[in-house]
Amino acid sequence: MAMIGYTQLMKDIFDVDKTSVEALFDTLAKHKPSELRMKTLRKLAQVEEETISGLLKLAGENNTGGTYKTVNLFFTLLEKDNILYAEKRGHREYWRFTERSKDLQIFLSHSE
């Protein structure tokens, strides 16, 4: 009977590089992710690209006021760390994961 290591398990189940995902989680941790912030980030991982307001609606949360501001601040910090990318289209700002963080996106899209 063979034992499978954690690294190989991550690769087999999620098709991601464990080291990459762990490094990105370290970066996420320094921004103090709350349940709301992570819930919204997981929704973004599932839909590929969306506005913050749209993600909050998908998550069943209030999409205005303090809830919006909290997630917007978090996403802006992640953009500075090159985890997320924002693109302006008209008056709306659409968010998506960067190429660098595709492994994190795959991992988050499978976790809920």
Side-chain angles (χ1 to χ4, degrees):
M1 180 186 231
M3 300 260 323
I4 299 176
Y6 176 69
T7 303
Q8 188 60 41
L9 220 86
M10 289 284 285
K11 184 73 176 152
D12 291 347
I13 294 173
F14 298 113
D15 193 31
V16 296
D17 176 25
K18 170 187 139 312
T19 309
S20 169
V21 172
E22 286 179 349
L24 291 168
F25 268 119
D26 283 344
T27 304
L28 282 175
K30 76 179 184 182
H31 299 303
K32 299 178 179 37
S34 64
E35 184 180 340
L36 171 68
R37 290 173 170 188
M38 288 306 295
K39 187 177 181 181
T40 310
L41 194 60
R42 279 193 294 276
K43 288 297 179 192
L44 179 60
Q46 293 169 355
V47 298
E48 301 283 330
E49 179 180 79
E50 185 57 78
T51 63
I52 292 173
S53 182
L55 292 169
L56 287 167
K57 284 180 187 176
L58 288 173
E61 300 289 340
N62 180 11
N63 64 330
T64 60
T67 307
Y68 179 90
K69 288 180 182 180
T70 297
V71 174
N72 187 48
L73 173 64
F74 183 58
F75 278 23
T76 302
L77 293 171
L78 295 181
E79 182 181 28
K80 289 178 184 174
D81 289 334
N82 197 27
I83 293 175
L84 296 181
Y85 172 76
E87 181 181 338
K88 278 255 191 211
R89 292 189 207 147
H91 294 289
R92 294 196 171 110
E93 194 168 36
Y94 287 83
W95 293 87
R96 66 174 174 257
F97 284 85
T98 62
E99 284 301 314
R100 171 182 173 249
S101 61
K102 285 296 179 184
D103 283 344
L104 178 64
Q105 179 182 6
I106 292 166
F107 182 80
L108 289 174
S109 68
H110 294 294
S111 65
E112 190 157 349

